[in-house]
Amino acid sequence: MNIIQKEGDSLESLFNNTKQLIKVFLENRKSIADIEGSKFESIVFDFLKEAAKDTSFEGTIELIAGQKFPDIVINNQIGLEVKTTRSKSWKTTGNSVFEGTRVDGIDDLYLICAKLTKPYDILIKPYEDCLTEIVVTHSPRYLIDMEIEPKDSIFKKMDISYDDLRKSENPIRPIIDYYKSKLKDGQSLWWIDEDNTDKRTITDSNLILQVWNTLESKQQEYFCALGFLFFPELISNSKNKKYSRFSLWLATSQNIICNNVRDLFTAGGTGNIAELGNKSLFSKNKFPRILINLFQNLETIKDEIENLTFEDFSLHWKDYKKTDSPKEYWISEIKRHIDSDNSYSITVKQNIVKQIRRRLNIT
């Protein structure tokens, strides 16, 4: 940092003096109802300049105009982002993860937050040390908590530094991977990164919801095929739990509300599957409707599995690796669920997997 400091002159003392000036200012005002946003940024800027008088920082403080990040720059190298909260806690919503408006040349970044409820208080900390989680408004944003310890920051949780994350080509990928690793049964990520917006097949906007019954039949068939592909547990012999991830995916990724997900796969009773011949443990050589639907969707599954990317599959397949063949991974999951179903004989299980491999051109 190219600042020649005078005796007793430091960034810490600049910040401490600024905090004290702002606190006195707030305490002496009859009302602070009008202190919000850009107005408070100007207040911080004015008191920073006052605190900087007769120090090495004098004349180096700049208020950044417009929607830029951070709000104030000191000596062209130090950034100060300004936030306020009117709650009793020190939590508030921070800036976008993308930081597309970040000012160039900032080496050190700090966050000043004012609690605008009595007793008034001001805290200033390194920016990355008070970002605790990531939340989504119109885009992913940091959640600020000025009271956390540095070890509890979102970056420590994700095991990546703030600088490495913000400088990465796709900062959303580590975030998705982290929150995906925390998912419990029945949970799903409701927000998908911007790179995946072209995967929405119904509308271009995630503001529009549709009810399943309003979709055309071809659209319904397509989503059922993707259901089998992304969520192979659909063919397991468990109860309603097996439909949870598919139902969440429809709602959170495709904006489709379906109140009877189970019926999409099971309605219609048993039937024949030509590829499986006449041997089965089901009465009158009939197979369950969900297995019939799987075979009816194998052509679409084959097309999709050959065209989708690693990122598409990794969102849904927990242990899937880049070195894995998507076909082999999917068929291994199908086989695992078929093998666990005691309704089928060993011979029938083997034949089911054999015929699926044949349809997918897996040798």
Side-chain angles (χ1 to χ4, degrees), residues 305-318:
I305 207 169
E306 290 175 348
N307 292 324
L308 294 176
T309 66
F310 166 78
E311 285 72 20
D312 296 318
F313 294 125
S314 64
L315 286 171
H316 310 291
W317 296 350
K318 184 177 180 180

Side-chain angles (χ1 to χ4, degrees), residues 318-358:
K318 184 177 180 180
D319 302 318
Y320 182 61
K321 303 178 183 63
K322 278 191 173 182
T323 54
D324 293 333
S325 160
K327 285 184 179 180
E328 289 291 354
Y329 183 95
W330 183 76
I331 199 67
S332 69
E333 288 295 289
I334 293 294
K335 183 178 184 302
R336 181 168 66 86
H337 292 300
I338 292 293
D339 286 344
S340 66
D341 193 337
N342 294 326
S343 301
Y344 304 108
S345 69
I346 294 177
T347 301
V348 170
K349 291 176 182 179
Q350 292 173 342
N351 195 24
I352 291 172
V353 175
K354 176 183 177 181
Q355 294 305 321
I356 294 175
R357 292 181 69 92
R358 183 186 65 82

Side-chain angles (χ1 to χ4, degrees), residues 116-330:
L116 300 181
T117 55
K118 293 185 177 180
Y120 304 125
D121 203 358
I122 312 290
L123 289 179
I124 303 179
K125 288 187 175 183
Y127 184 73
E128 63 187 284
D129 288 350
C130 43
L131 305 180
T132 180
E133 293 288 348
I134 293 169
V135 296
V136 178
T137 53
H138 59 286
S139 67
R141 308 178 76 84
Y142 291 113
L143 178 66
I144 295 169
D145 187 343
M146 300 297 290
E147 292 186 301
I148 64 168
E149 297 295 326
K151 64 181 178 63
D152 296 320
S153 75
I154 184 61
F155 310 106
K156 295 295 184 182
K157 296 174 186 177
M158 294 196 300
D159 195 26
I160 185 173
S161 73
Y162 165 63
D163 279 339
D164 285 345
L165 181 68
R166 72 178 183 84
K167 291 177 181 178
S168 65
E169 291 184 4
N170 183 8
I172 295 304
R173 175 50 50 186
I175 296 170
I176 288 178
D177 290 343
Y178 167 72
Y179 282 102
K180 181 184 171 186
S181 73
K182 297 296 183 181
L183 293 178
K184 299 176 182 179
D185 289 345
Q187 294 181 328
S188 175
L189 299 181
W190 74 267
W191 186 85
I192 305 298
D193 61 290
E194 293 182 351
D195 289 341
N196 284 327
T197 53
D198 60 333
K199 302 300 189 300
R200 294 181 180 274
T201 57
I202 298 299
T203 68
D204 293 330
S205 171
N206 63 357
L207 298 177
I208 300 173
L209 296 177
Q210 288 204 11
V211 176
W212 177 268
N213 291 339
T214 65
L215 304 181
E216 297 179 359
S217 59
K218 287 186 177 181
Q219 291 175 324
Q220 293 179 349
E221 292 170 4
Y222 177 70
F223 285 121
C224 285
L226 288 185
F228 282 121
L229 177 57
F230 291 147
F231 314 108
E233 70 268 18
L234 286 171
I235 67 163
S236 71
N237 60 355
S238 64
K239 300 297 183 180
N240 292 333
K241 184 179 178 180
K242 67 183 182 180
Y243 302 107
S244 298
R245 290 205 305 150
F246 174 71
S247 179
L248 286 170
W249 173 77
L250 279 180
T252 61
S253 178
Q254 301 301 327
N255 293 36
I256 298 171
I257 306 301
C258 182
N259 295 323
N260 57 338
V261 171
R262 181 179 179 180
D263 290 347
L264 307 184
F265 299 97
T266 62
T270 59
N272 293 308
I273 301 176
E275 292 98 326
L276 299 183
N278 296 319
K279 294 181 179 180
S280 81
L281 292 182
F282 290 87
S283 60
K284 299 180 182 179
N285 300 323
K286 303 292 185 180
F287 286 90
R289 179 58 53 180
I290 197 161
L291 190 62
I292 297 170
N293 287 338
L294 173 63
F295 271 81
Q296 289 175 342
N297 282 286
L298 284 177
E299 195 62 34
T300 300
I301 291 171
K302 176 176 175 291
D303 291 340
E304 292 298 319
I305 207 169
E306 290 175 348
N307 292 324
L308 294 176
T309 66
F310 166 78
E311 285 72 20
D312 296 318
F313 294 125
S314 64
L315 286 171
H316 310 291
W317 296 350
K318 184 177 180 180
D319 302 318
Y320 182 61
K321 303 178 183 63
K322 278 191 173 182
T323 54
D324 293 333
S325 160
K327 285 184 179 180
E328 289 291 354
Y329 183 95
W330 183 76

Side-chain angles (χ1 to χ4, degrees), residues 22-56:
I22 295 173
K23 283 188 68 174
V24 171
F25 168 79
L26 293 175
E27 290 166 355
N28 289 334
R29 282 181 65 92
K30 292 183 179 180
S31 172
I32 61 166
D34 60 336
I35 297 178
E36 291 286 1
S38 59
K39 184 167 184 177
F40 189 68
E41 292 167 14
S42 297
I43 292 170
V44 173
F45 172 64
D46 289 339
F47 285 121
L48 264 175
K49 289 194 299 179
E50 184 173 338
K53 289 179 180 178
D54 298 322
T55 74
S56 56

